[in-house]
Amino acid sequence: MTIDDLPRLRQDKTPAPHSVDAANPEAQRRARRYFAPSVQMFGRHPGYGGAIIGIEGRDHTLPSWSGFEEKAFKKFAGYPIPATIIGKTAPHFRTIADFPRTRIVADDYPLLVYYRWFWEQGDGYPTLNSLSADILRESGNKELWSFSDPAVRCPPKWGSGGSVDFLSQWTYCYPDPIKIAQATDELFAMAAGRPGQGVMKMTQAIWYREQTAPAKQTVTTPPAWATENPTTEFITIAPDLLKEAFWSKLSRPIAGIMYHGYGSLFNDIKITKESMYTMTNPESREVLKELVQTVVQPLGPTLKHLPARTSEVAILESFASTIFAGRGTWGWGRGWIADVHLMTQWAGLQPVIVYEETILRDRLVGIKVLVLPHCEVLPQAAFNAIRDFQRAGGILVGDEFTIPALLPNLRLASYTRTGDAVKDKAALQQMAAQFRQDLASVLTPYATSDNPDIVTYARAAGNADYIFAVNDKRTYGDYVGMYGLVMEKGLPNRGTVTVRRPAAAVYDPVRHQSVPFTVSDGVTAIPVEFTTSDGRLLMLTDAAVTAVKIAAIPEAGGVNVTVTVTDADGKPITADFPLEITVTAADGARLPASDYYRAANGVVHIAIPKFYQGAPFPWRIKAKDLASGLSGEQTVNGAE
């Protein structure tokens, strides 16, 4: 689709580079004219699974003076675009003559009204994304799906991505790989504004060399890849950090995972001036392959259905502070706000990110602690809700930037990174330890560890808990460590994960075995040990698995199979179990019904269609519970 002739226009009517005027009705007409035929042509091709909508076009958005936005805003607000509008954020509040001294702005303050409108719909991108997603849905192929990436490279305001099926965001996992969880939590905060919208997460398999191993920096012992590829701009993600970031994002209830940078994982493509991705570490692709085979494929059907446990600590990313004070992460996972999230992870507090809109809609129900990093400006309604939260007993945690009308119960001193990976991590972990101690009288985490380098996250289903434990103990290695910017080598580590509930059994679904544990005063303690940067999944149940039972009933239409994971009384255990089910014909052929499944509340039903019955009977059906490692078998003959 050609868009060069539909640029956004500055106030002087000159075109803005790299940005289409998505609010121009012609842009939307062209989207349908060119995209719809291609969807109809390729929509049922087996290699066409979905489409990325948007990419980085919105990075360059700004108010457009082409006439379309001006007309639309006046219709929306009843008055023209404020004269002080110059860019995609407002002038800094200190330069606005009539800005309230309290830094609390009325919800009908014209600049706030404009920027809320602009980012939710005004620049046209959410509408254009929704149109593109609708075109996919109109194809008739229900298997097609759409996603917007990078969806949170914008202010914290509902609406980014429009009505695509999934929001996603690519993340560079250096210098701290668990920062990927912060970007993931931002996606959930954004998707909260459109119930039913899913979240996926992409890891960058590429690393900017200048940010991890600068070519201009002289080191005593340069790595071999640097000598072999002296001009490369992008190198391969370090294998240990790939693994740690994988577990960090997988701990969240995401619907899918993605990786960008084929050329950094494989060297079977020609490197050109336009494509400077270079494969500098072949181990990384082997790590990813192993994770897909041992975690994603067997556990994916179950993990996609496990919601996160309700968090008690929320971090506000303020739209008003982003617009009027130049704050916000803009999806890059950098700066004080992102480091506060990182700090709360190291404190073992399982934070959730909220927007001003989230607070107004959900009223901070279930939240005990609200953290307000870089919260310099607030809308009146959001301020009122936060004040009421504190008056009702909620704990506010501010910093030196918090608006003067709020008096936080605790204050954090903001931290500015030095660029030294060791010093920065140590400083933030020290802050985390103090923060955890300061909150001890009001908050006891549901799941945590006794080691700040073992980061936990809890999800649940039925009467079971699923605790992720990620080892973040690292040092400088021989890949990029000599440059001092990233600790890319995972180290052995051990500790104890505690969960505030008694468990009858604890399982490791990746290793398919039970795990030693103790219970004291209603708290389950589980020792964990790591050899490198890695993750563990611990499944706590209220009954031990004693059997996997199979009932197979041949019928005219096929074979109906029911698999049940049972306790000592023969009853289904109220938990979601990952199962591997194989169906083998008499001639040894493996039937297509063989796959990985989720046994919701301990039970799964499978209908094996009649057209499989060309395979000779009897069929041997085997079901393995991937949590306990126990299996069951059943032989079935065809219907008469």
Side-chain angles (χ1 to χ4, degrees):
M1 180 175 71
T2 302
I3 59 174
D4 293 343
D5 60 332
L6 302 176
R8 307 186 76 80
L9 299 181
R10 302 185 182 95
Q11 284 178 292
D12 62 3
K13 303 302 181 181
T14 59
H18 313 301
S19 186
V20 63
D21 190 350
N24 186 332
E26 178 59 22
Q28 298 170 26
R29 283 192 290 269
R30 291 186 191 180
R32 178 166 291 280
R33 185 186 311 153
Y34 294 106
F35 187 39
S38 67
V39 170
Q40 292 299 326
M41 181 179 297
F42 298 107
R44 295 189 180 277
H45 189 284
Y48 191 9
I52 181 171
I53 308 296
I55 314 183
E56 294 180 304
R58 209 181 191 196
D59 285 8
H60 307 283
T61 193
L62 76 168
S64 180
W65 303 92
S66 55
F68 303 105
E69 287 184 20
E70 296 147 286
K71 182 179 179 180
F73 179 74
K74 188 170 185 179
K75 181 179 179 181
F76 171 81
Y79 51 83
I81 293 176
T84 51
I85 297 296
I86 55 173
K88 59 184 179 182
T89 60
H92 195 279
F93 72 86
R94 297 188 189 281
T95 69
I96 300 175
D98 64 344
F99 203 82
R101 292 184 178 181
T102 60
R103 290 186 252 150
I104 301 171
V105 294
D107 286 271
D108 61 357
Y109 184 61
L111 284 175
L112 179 62
V113 171
Y114 171 77
Y115 279 108
R116 281 175 167 172
W117 171 84
F118 177 82
W119 283 106
E120 185 172 350
Q121 59 177 291
D123 73 343
Y125 277 99
T127 301
L128 194 59
N129 288 349
S130 296
L131 173 63
S132 300
D134 288 342
I135 291 172
L136 280 178
R137 297 184 183 108
E138 293 166 5
S139 70
N141 183 354
K142 295 183 179 180
E143 299 299 318
L144 289 180
W145 49 274
S146 60
F147 72 104
S148 179
D149 193 340
V152 291
R153 207 180 285 177
C154 60
K157 176 79 178 70
W158 287 345
S160 179
S163 65
V164 296
D165 298 313
F166 302 97
L167 300 181
S168 185
Q169 179 81 12
W170 59 69
T171 299
Y172 297 90
C173 63
Y174 53 80
D176 300 293
I178 62 170
K179 65 177 276 190
I180 199 170
Q182 185 266 340
T184 309
D185 288 349
E186 284 185 332
L187 289 169
F188 280 106
M190 183 67 74
R194 191 177 293 273
Q197 191 169 55
V199 169
M200 294 188 177
K201 191 69 191 77
M202 181 182 289
T203 302
Q204 288 283 31
I206 61 171
W207 278 7
Y208 277 93
R209 180 176 180 181
E210 288 306 301
Q211 296 175 8
T212 56
K216 296 178 181 179
Q217 182 177 338
T218 301
V219 294
T220 304
T221 308
W225 64 261
T227 303
E228 297 166 0
N229 304 279
T231 62
T232 187
E233 297 178 14
F234 296 94
I235 63 174
T236 307
I237 182 175
D240 286 354
L241 266 63
L242 183 153
K243 182 181 292 187
E244 185 178 341
F246 166 88
W247 278 104
S248 181
K249 70 179 181 180
L250 202 70
S251 68
R252 271 59 178 172
I254 55 178
I257 63 172
M258 305 176 188
Y259 288 83
H260 170 81
Y262 181 92
S264 286
L265 295 175
F266 299 90
N267 58 359
D268 57 356
I269 60 174
K270 183 179 180 181
I271 303 300
T272 66
K273 186 176 181 180
E274 291 74 28
S275 176
M276 292 300 292
Y277 296 174
T278 306
M279 194 281 291
T280 56
N281 196 323
E283 185 182 348
S284 298
R285 67 168 177 257
E286 299 305 319
V287 167
L288 180 56
K289 178 181 178 181
E290 180 185 10
L291 290 170
V292 169
Q293 292 176 341
T294 61
V295 182
V296 176
Q297 291 177 337
L299 304 185
T302 300
L303 292 179
K304 289 195 295 184
H305 294 276
L306 304 179
R309 289 195 66 92
T310 301
S311 297
E312 296 179 313
V313 177
I315 300 171
L316 172 62
E317 293 195 6
S318 165
F319 177 81
S321 297
T322 302
I323 296 300
F324 292 106
R327 302 304 187 181
T329 70
W330 293 85
W332 287 102
R334 301 171 186 158
W336 172 231
I337 295 174
D339 281 341
V340 165
H341 186 281
L342 194 61
M343 181 271 292
T344 56
Q345 287 192 78
W346 279 321
L349 299 178
Q350 188 161 327
V352 63
I353 291 173
V354 295
Y355 292 170
E356 292 162 356
E357 298 154 298
T358 322
I359 291 176
L360 294 178
R361 185 189 67 185
D362 300 340
R363 314 306 295 185
L364 295 170
V365 173
I367 299 299
K368 292 183 178 180
V369 178
L370 178 63
V371 190
L372 307 168
H374 273 166
C375 194
E376 295 187 72
V377 180
L378 278 176
Q380 183 69 58
F383 166 79
N384 292 344
I386 293 170
R387 179 196 58 196
D388 293 345
F389 166 78
Q390 187 181 36
R391 287 177 175 176
I395 302 299
L396 294 186
V397 181
D399 54 24
E400 65 268 35
F401 307 103
T402 305
I403 62 170
L406 289 175
L407 296 177
N409 303 81
L410 294 172
R411 283 191 189 270
L412 301 171
S414 65
Y415 179 77
T416 301
R417 285 180 176 259
T418 65
D420 184 307
V422 173
K423 290 181 180 179
D424 290 338
K425 182 180 180 182
L428 289 169
Q429 284 196 327
Q430 183 178 2
M431 184 184 297
Q434 184 62 52
F435 189 49
R436 173 79 172 267
Q437 181 178 330
D438 291 341
L439 293 176
S441 63
V442 296
L443 179 66
T444 302
Y446 182 77
T448 189
S449 80
D450 61 353
N451 184 329
D453 279 329
I454 299 177
V455 179
T456 58
Y457 192 89
R459 292 159 70 178
N463 295 332
D465 284 300
Y466 304 78
I467 311 301
F468 291 80
V470 181
N471 178 29
D472 187 45
K473 188 174 183 180
R474 294 171 285 114
T475 188
Y476 293 125
D478 58 7
Y479 180 48
V480 298
M482 63 285 295
Y483 295 90
L485 299 176
V486 183
M487 292 187 287
E488 88 286 19
K489 180 63 177 176
L491 291 174
N493 200 8
R494 65 176 60 187
T496 300
V497 171
T498 54
V499 187
R500 286 193 293 112
R501 60 159 288 178
V506 179
Y507 299 107
D508 183 333
V510 177
R511 295 168 177 81
H512 319 313
Q513 63 188 21
S514 59
V515 175
F517 68 97
T518 59
V519 177
S520 177
D521 296 327
V523 176
T524 300
I526 310 160
V528 292
E529 190 167 351
F530 302 88
T531 58
T532 184
S533 295
D534 203 352
R536 296 282 300 277
L537 174 57
L538 305 168
M539 179 179 174
L540 286 70
T541 60
D542 60 357
V545 177
T546 60
V548 178
K549 298 181 179 180
I550 301 174
I553 303 174
E555 297 181 351
V559 177
N560 290 324
V561 178
T562 299
V563 179
T564 308
V565 182
T566 68
D567 60 16
D569 296 325
K571 297 179 180 179
I573 298 176
T574 309
D576 283 10
F577 287 89
L579 300 181
E580 181 181 16
I581 298 177
T582 56
V583 184
T584 309
D587 60 0
R590 182 183 172 103
L591 271 62
S594 301
D595 209 339
Y596 296 105
Y597 294 86
R598 161 185 169 244
N601 289 319
V603 181
V604 64
H605 302 283
I606 305 170
I608 304 178
K610 182 178 181 179
F611 57 77
Y612 289 165
Q613 294 196 26
F617 285 98
W619 291 352
R620 177 171 166 265
I621 302 173
K622 180 179 180 180
K624 179 179 180 180
D625 165 32
L626 298 180
S628 66
L630 296 181
S631 299
E633 291 190 21
Q634 178 73 37
T635 300
V636 61
N637 289 301
E640 297 296 333

